[in-house]
Every structure is written in structure tokens, then in C-alpha cells.
Amino acid sequence: MSETIFSKIINKEIPSDVVYEDDLSFAFRDINPQAPVHILIIPKKPIPQLTDAAISDQELLGHLMLVANKVAEMEGVVDAFRLVLNNGAGAGQEVMHMHFHLLAGRSFTWPPG
Ligand code: 5GP
């Protein structure tokens, strides 16, 4: 799997505003926030996009969602947040290291743009 800017962020070769870290995951503030709270939650394992995940990643994927809950709690937004995952360039994915966007702190519309 190819290295992306997110691998460098995990390795702290590139600085980021880290919100949470454990053995499997890393969460940091988006450099170009689209909401008052905009945090990226990523696996340390460099899975390019969700559709590259395997059955063996099942526990990791569940873990990332529980990390989202934890981060929302830490940020005081557990009552209302949006969790977004863009899978593939056609869906708006720019960094090929799968990630959830946790967005909160403003109202959201549906359907999303
Ligand atoms: P995507 O479009 O792939 O779903 O989202 C990639 C996100 O990564 C974007 O929201 C973008 O602002 C964020 N991003 C890209 N490069 C960096 C960086 O170097 N640092 C941080 N903190 N966020 C980044």
C-alpha cells in the first residue's frame, strides 16, 4: 500500500493537531475545517479506501466508529455530529488512506452536497 500524507501525520513527520491516538487509530483536526468541529479519524493501518478493507479488518472498522463516539464525547458534541466517509475519487476522496470526517458544531442539511 502506498504512503500518503496521513502516514506521515501518524508518524509525526508532519505536524497535526492530535485529538486522540491509540494502537490502532489516530484522530486529528482537519487542516481545512468544514464545521467548527472537523476531525479526521483514521486507522494506523494504511487501508487506501473502505472498499479495500478485508474481513480481517472487521474489528478495526468497528473500533474506528467507537473512537468517533469517544472523540465526540471529548469535544462535547456527542448529541449531534455527522460521520462522513468518502470512498473513491468520484465521491470526493482526495487522500487515499481511508478516514472518517467527524463534523459538528453547526446545522447540517440532507441530502449532503
Ligand atoms: P477527503 O477529501 O479525502 O475525504 O478528505 C481529506 C481531508 O484531509 C480534507 O478534508 C483535507 O482538508 C484534509 N487534509 C489534507 N491534507 C491535510 C494535512 O496535511 N493535515 C490535515 N490536518 N488535514 C489534511
Side-chain angles (χ1 to χ4, degrees), residues 11-26:
N11 295 333
K12 304 196 168 105
E13 292 164 47
I14 292 178
S16 68
D17 188 351
V18 184
V19 175
Y20 176 82
E21 179 177 9
D22 62 27
D23 287 350
L24 298 175
S25 70
F26 198 84

Side-chain angles (χ1 to χ4, degrees), residues 5-6 28-31 40 86 92-95 99 101:
I5 195 160
F6 286 1
F28 57 103
R29 291 187 201 284
D30 197 293
I31 204 166
L40 301 173
N86 299 321
Q93 184 176 2
E94 290 177 352
V95 180
H99 50 278
H101 297 254

Side-chain angles (χ1 to χ4, degrees), residues 74-89:
M74 289 165 59
E75 293 289 309
V77 299
V78 77
D79 287 344
F81 63 91
R82 183 169 281 183
L83 201 57
V84 174
L85 182 146
N86 299 321
N87 186 81

Side-chain angles (χ1 to χ4, degrees), residues 41 59-72 83:
I41 298 167
E59 204 169 315
L60 173 60
L61 296 181
H63 179 73
L64 294 174
M65 302 198 93
L66 293 177
V67 168
N69 281 349
K70 195 184 300 252
V71 167
L83 201 57

